Amino acid sequence: LGSDNVALGVVKNVEYMFGIVGVPVIEVAMAAQASGIKYVGMRNEQAACYAASDCHYKRALEILSLLSEIPDLCAAHGRAEGALRELVEGCGLPFLPTPMGKGVLPDSHPNCVAAARSRALLQSDVVVLLGARLNWILHFGLPPRFDPHVKVIQVDLCAEEMGNNMQPAAALLGDVNAIVKQLLEYVHKDGWKYPADTEWWTTLKEKMAANATMTKALALQSTTPMNYYQVFHHISQLLPHDCVIVSEGANTMDIGRTMLNNYLPRHRLDAGTFGTMGVGLGFAIAAATVQRNQNTGQRVVCVEGDSAFGFSGMEVETMCRYKLPVVIIVVNNNGIYSGVDAETWEMMGKMGDLTTVAPPVTLLPEARYDEVMNAFGGRGFLVRTEEELRSALQLSLSDWERPSLLNVLIDPSSDRKQQEFPWLTRSNL
């Protein structure tokens, strides 16, 4: 319908329409309201579509839960956390969650080896792949990130995914929940359990401890401006364990995945397989709408890089208009991956036309995203120190009447800790 579009989402028998209206869609939205559909007017078509799609995933779970006694009908979303916990704990196996699988078992579980991810992938002899795809997130299952002789047992609902990028040693087609339960039957008969005192477990635990020590050293620095690890350290201490975490960005999302734990399944939304920026605020609006409709009492916290926030930033007006109490945390390093400080920016301006001298990754230093939220009636906080971060986040989490935005200014040169392997698509610069 041209530039004016609507998308439909359904939650708990309540239909929501997310969209942007103009002729002739105004009448469609009005007719929808007259028929009992709740209309949520967005500011960006992309964000409206993300919000509607998010509502459909939550609705699919509700429908499937009514059919849980028929395993084949549960395939769209396995709800396999119970069977997976039994498999992991009963067999003593280490496990590694992929980004959207975080929380299926708690990130704090003693068998979670996310803190030794590279070592776990590289030195495993056998990998049981449960619904995860061998795409770029898992480095296509190829060397140098995987052992060239690794044996993969692939469990997936989609036949076309079997053997993508590497040939599995065994392929099990079907619902993860049903297949894991079938595997458990054999495990129970055999009584097999992987010993806890093996050299492999020792290797993983030593690597996890070393990485934790490195991360802790960065997190406990008392510098101003802060680095990424300081920011996430304090956020992780204050977030409720049952909150829904929405995240997007480059370093912000990558570091956040490792430091912001998920304790419950289906409580994380991020840029996913395609790394699409702009999804965050639409996802957060949908999650907050579901929370309000179901009265779950769960907070929705949206952690954004400053570049990612810019894609759909005007959706803060949507949150204010509908009084959706989303807590947005913008980790602001003045750029895409990295930026420059205000003094350097001013010097570059004196050197000539900024379109020719400013690095393409730079954004305006210390941009006041908090004032955008204030302008629409929400609560905006400018944060420079650890004390300001903790105070602003505690106030925001206690406010259920309006959205909040914390504009957290960090060191523009702050980066991830040294990685064992370079990024797959290394720059040629």
Side-chain angles (χ1 to χ4, degrees):
L1 296 175
S3 63
D4 307 306
N5 288 277
V6 292
L8 196 64
V10 184
V11 181
K12 281 282 188 185
N13 299 321
V14 178
E15 292 184 334
Y16 288 89
M17 179 178 285
F18 299 87
I20 303 171
V21 296
V23 175
V25 181
I26 295 174
E27 290 82 356
V28 174
M30 293 174 65
Q33 287 180 316
S35 67
I37 295 174
K38 296 185 177 182
Y39 173 74
V40 179
M42 305 286 283
R43 302 299 297 265
N44 179 280
E45 293 171 340
Q46 180 189 42
C49 291
Y50 288 137
S53 67
D54 187 33
C55 278
H56 276 295
Y57 286 123
K58 295 174 181 294
R59 176 56 175 165
L61 301 182
E62 293 161 12
I63 294 172
L64 291 169
S65 67
L66 301 177
L67 304 170
S68 59
E69 69 274 16
I70 310 175
D72 286 347
L73 297 180
C74 296
H77 199 289
R79 286 190 173 268
E81 55 267 22
L84 286 174
R85 180 183 286 271
E86 187 176 352
L87 180 68
V88 165
E89 295 178 350
C91 295
L93 298 173
F95 75 90
L96 178 68
T98 53
M100 296 304 287
K102 281 168 62 68
V104 172
L105 293 181
D107 289 335
S108 57
H109 193 286
N111 289 36
C112 179
V113 295
R117 183 179 189 273
S118 293
R119 187 64 53 88
L121 294 180
L122 178 61
Q123 296 185 358
S124 289
D125 297 316
V126 177
V127 173
V128 182
L129 198 67
L130 295 166
R133 306 288 165 77
L134 286 175
N135 52 34
W136 66 272
I137 292 178
L138 285 177
H139 318 286
F140 307 105
L142 301 174
R145 299 304 295 266
F146 282 76
D147 186 299
H149 305 294
V150 67
K151 293 180 175 62
V152 172
I153 300 170
Q154 187 172 6
V155 180
D156 206 290
L157 181 67
C158 301
E160 62 270 22
E161 288 295 331
M162 295 299 185
N164 270 356
N165 297 309
M166 69 175 299
Q167 187 65 31
L172 302 176
L173 181 64
D175 170 47
V176 169
N177 193 35
I179 289 178
V180 171
K181 288 180 178 178
Q182 291 167 353
L183 290 174
L184 283 169
E185 292 179 11
Y186 286 93
V187 169
H188 292 155
K189 289 178 183 177
D190 187 68
W192 177 83
K193 183 170 184 177
Y194 188 68
D197 58 354
T198 60
E199 183 180 352
W200 178 228
W201 260 123
T202 300
T203 298
L204 288 173
K205 289 177 180 178
E206 288 176 351
K207 185 60 175 176
M208 290 165 65
N211 284 343
T213 298
M214 189 184 306
T215 298
K216 185 176 181 180
L218 292 167
L220 296 183
Q221 290 180 1
S222 297
T223 57
T224 302
M226 294 180 284
N227 64 48
Y228 282 106
Y229 294 87
Q230 288 172 267
V231 171
F232 284 115
H233 170 69
H234 291 285
I235 293 174
S236 67
Q237 288 187 331
L238 295 174
L239 290 188
H241 283 194
D242 66 347
C243 72
V244 175
I245 298 176
V246 181
S247 184
E248 61 175 333
N251 290 336
T252 296
M253 185 171 66
D254 292 340
I255 299 171
R257 282 172 176 167
T258 66
M259 295 192 68
L260 298 181
N261 283 349
N262 284 91
Y263 301 91
L264 297 171
R266 298 169 292 278
H267 277 62
R268 179 182 177 84
L269 296 160
D270 70 18
T273 301
F274 297 109
T276 308
M277 295 297 105
V279 301
L281 272 65
F283 280 173
I285 287 170
T289 301
V290 171
Q291 184 281 322
R292 173 176 290 175
N293 180 63
Q294 298 182 357
N295 194 27
T296 64
Q298 296 174 342
R299 296 310 311 241
V300 177
V301 180
C302 189
V303 185
E304 302 268 307
D306 51 334
S307 172
F309 175 76
F311 280 73
S312 300
M314 196 52 65
E315 296 300 342
V316 299
E317 186 273 334
T318 307
M319 296 176 183
C320 290
R321 190 178 350 130
Y322 295 107
K323 297 183 179 179
L324 298 172
V326 176
V327 178
I328 303 172
I329 303 172
V330 178
V331 184
N332 186 352
N333 70 342
N334 304 339
I336 306 164
Y337 299 106
S338 63
V340 298
D341 58 29
E343 182 179 352
T344 303
W345 182 262
E346 185 176 352
M347 290 174 57
M348 288 193 303
K350 295 176 181 178
M351 292 167 58
D353 187 340
L354 285 170
T355 61
T356 61
V357 300
V361 295
T362 54
L363 299 173
L364 186 68
E366 301 187 4
R368 295 299 302 271
Y369 303 114
D370 52 301
E371 292 186 349
V372 176
M373 180 63 86
N374 285 328
F376 293 116
R379 300 182 75 173
F381 300 88
L382 182 64
V383 172
R384 296 180 186 272
T385 67
E386 296 173 348
E387 294 76 18
E388 290 172 346
L389 173 58
R390 295 185 70 91
S391 174
L393 184 52
Q394 287 170 329
L395 284 171
S396 299
L397 290 171
S398 67
D399 189 344
W400 287 87
E401 300 300 320
R402 52 186 168 172
S404 302
L405 188 150
L406 283 64
N407 184 14
V408 184
L409 304 183
I410 68 168
D411 184 347
S413 63
S414 180
D415 202 354
R416 300 176 66 184
K417 63 181 176 65
Q418 185 65 40
Q419 299 298 297
E420 191 170 344
F421 289 91
W423 185 246
L424 283 172
T425 52
R426 291 189 297 271
S427 171
N428 292 322
L429 298 177

